[in-house]
Amino acid sequence: MLSEKTLFLFTLLLLLYLPFRKNAQQNDTGKIYYISIGDSFAEGLKITGPLPGNRTFPAYSYADALHYLLSKKYKNLELLKYGRGGHTSDDLINKQLNKTIDFVKSNSGLTKLITITIGTNDVSKCNSTNNTCYYNKLDNLKNNLNNIIIPKLKEAGGEGVKYAASTYFWYPSLEDTLVDIYNKNEFKVADLRSIINFSNNTICNYTYWCEYHDVHPNTDGVNAIGGLFYKVLGESLLV
Ligand SMILES: *[C@@H]1O[C@H](CO)[C@@H](O)[C@H](O)[C@H]1NC(C)=O
Ligand SMILES: *[C@@H]1O[C@H](CO)[C@@H](O)[C@H](O)[C@H]1NC(C)=O
Ligand SMILES: *[C@@H]1O[C@H](CO)[C@@H](O)[C@H](O)[C@H]1NC(C)=O
Ligand SMILES: *[C@@H]1O[C@H](CO)[C@@H](O)[C@H](O)[C@H]1NC(C)=O
Ligand SMILES: *[C@@H]1O[C@H](CO)[C@@H](O)[C@H](O)[C@H]1NC(C)=O
Ligand SMILES: *[C@@H]1O[C@H](CO)[C@@H](O)[C@H](O)[C@H]1NC(C)=O
Ligand SMILES: *[C@@H]1O[C@H](CO)[C@@H](O)[C@H](O)[C@H]1NC(C)=O
Ligand SMILES: *[C@@H]1O[C@H](CO)[C@@H](O)[C@H](O)[C@H]1NC(C)=O
């Protein structure tokens, strides 16, 4: 058992330490970091003319839009974009996760936010959303997020990092699965179905679908998604 005196001293030390720690973490010279991981939504992809050519990446993505909004308050916030177009959750584990974890660990306490968009490339090669291929891929995605990606990020980042993730807006069962995983792991969730919808003109306003038959968000869509992340994060980064 801890004695009352030890407890008191411990509390006092914590109180003395906390404000000092906060200053050291957010000052005018030192940087704090936001790491964006995932697929083409995270990396950004711009379509400048008819497909299959005319795609450019990396490009302005929701991570840039969110970073812009947050940097009004957190001027020393720097964005690191590790996402890559076409990546599945397996690719994220093999090509983005260690880089992210290494950065978070070697800049202890300075990473404040991590966002993720991943999953559609896992299932997109299946011919249907109601076949064995799809369900196997979905199970693999669930396992990768629940048992590898999320626990490893949390282990590296501890309590000081805020986490947010997005869905997409086309395979209902994929979106529902992602929402469920992220909610259970206490991530903030930007459910893109709340802003982009194939049944009304948001699909034309916010994506390249109507012009080029491509679901990637255009500049207005990128800004809308960045705004949705900002809203679900609730503005405060430092806990
Ligand atoms: C500001 O932050 C940087 C990086 O963490 C640190 O090296 C520096 O000592 C801090 N400066 C002050 C005045 O707290
Ligand atoms: C790119 O777009 C231009 C028109 O802007 C078109 O002429 C060209 O064929 C396109 N390139 C490819 C590879 O599709
Ligand atoms: C990531 O790092 C872990 C721990 O150091 C290591 O076991 C694993 O092989 C690495 N993965 C890749 C894809 O490099
Ligand atoms: C998808 O359907 C095509 C044509 O029926 C078939 O050749 C291919 O193997 C199928 N792919 C998967 C992953 O089931
Ligand atoms: C999925 O397939 C099963 C069996 O073929 C069928 O009973 C079910 O209605 C299908 N579900 C959807 C949503 O299409
Ligand atoms: C259009 O879709 C968006 C995104 O789902 C939704 O927020 C909006 O309410 C819809 N508009 C109408 C008129 O239903
Ligand atoms: C999508 O748009 C349709 C038509 O405007 C609307 O009825 C539906 O509620 C919207 N879905 C969402 C999730 O807002
Ligand atoms: C989409 O754009 C049209 C034309 O600019 C505009 O009238 C409409 O209000 C927009 N709708 C949404 C949901 O952004």
Side-chain angles (χ1 to χ4, degrees):
M1 281 291 283
L2 289 172
S3 75
E4 242 174 53
K5 194 175 162 194
T6 317
L7 264 179
F8 172 77
L9 269 178
F10 181 68
T11 316
L12 191 66
L13 282 172
L14 257 186
L15 287 175
L16 286 171
Y17 180 61
L18 280 179
F20 177 75
R21 204 170 120 89
K22 202 161 190 176
N23 276 339
Q25 281 177 5
Q26 198 207 8
N27 61 37
D28 292 337
T29 49
K31 291 191 181 304
I32 54 174
Y33 299 95
Y34 158 27
I35 306 178
S36 162
I37 58 179
D39 56 22
S40 54
F41 274 49
E43 182 183 26
L45 182 155
K46 191 176 169 66
I47 301 180
T48 55
L51 297 176
N54 293 309
R55 291 169 185 249
T56 60
F57 48 85
Y60 180 64
S61 80
Y62 76 73
D64 297 290
L66 175 60
H67 174 247
Y68 171 76
L69 292 171
L70 289 169
S71 55
K72 290 178 181 171
K73 185 166 175 186
Y74 302 103
K75 301 206 182 311
N76 50 350
L77 181 70
E78 190 164 303
L79 168 63
L80 303 174
K81 285 167 76 178
Y82 291 163
R84 286 292 173 273
H87 274 192
T88 63
S89 60
D90 288 336
D91 295 324
L92 193 155
I93 290 168
N94 291 324
K95 297 170 185 161
Q96 300 177 32
L97 192 58
N98 278 7
K99 204 158 50 163
T100 305
I101 288 168
D102 290 348
F103 184 89
V104 170
K105 283 187 174 164
S106 59
N107 295 274
S108 178
L110 297 179
T111 301
K112 298 296 176 185
L113 172 65
I114 296 178
T115 64
I116 308 183
T117 301
I118 200 75
T120 194
N121 295 315
D122 289 56
V123 300
S124 62
K125 285 173 198 75
C126 299
N127 286 329
S128 147
T129 54
N130 191 14
N131 64 11
T132 310
C133 169
Y134 181 80
Y135 291 118
N136 286 342
K137 298 287 186 188
L138 208 56
D139 278 347
N140 184 60
L141 171 64
K142 280 188 220 172
N143 181 55
N144 282 346
L145 279 168
N146 278 323
N147 301 324
I148 302 174
I149 298 170
I150 294 174
K152 280 187 184 282
L153 288 174
K154 287 196 167 175
E155 188 197 338
E159 295 296 315
V161 183
K162 281 209 168 187
Y163 300 94
S166 89
T167 61
Y168 307 87
F169 44 87
W170 47 84
Y171 300 137
S173 56
L174 171 65
E175 324 307 354
D176 290 344
T177 300
L178 291 171
V179 168
D180 184 54
I181 293 171
Y182 292 129
N183 277 336
K184 282 186 176 142
N185 285 286
E186 292 168 326
F187 275 45
K188 304 288 181 188
V189 182
D191 190 340
L192 301 192
R193 290 174 295 183
S194 68
I195 52 170
I196 306 175
N197 183 337
F198 275 94
S199 303
N200 68 33
N201 61 7
T202 54
I203 192 69
C204 297
N205 290 19
Y206 287 154
T207 76
Y208 293 109
W209 182 255
C210 302
E211 215 175 346
Y212 298 118
H213 220 69
D214 184 292
V215 290
H216 287 98
N218 59 22
T219 302
D220 286 346
V222 163
N223 286 331
I225 297 171
L228 180 60
F229 266 99
Y230 188 70
K231 197 175 108 189
V232 301
L233 275 167
E235 297 184 28
S236 83
L237 266 194
L238 301 179
V239 289

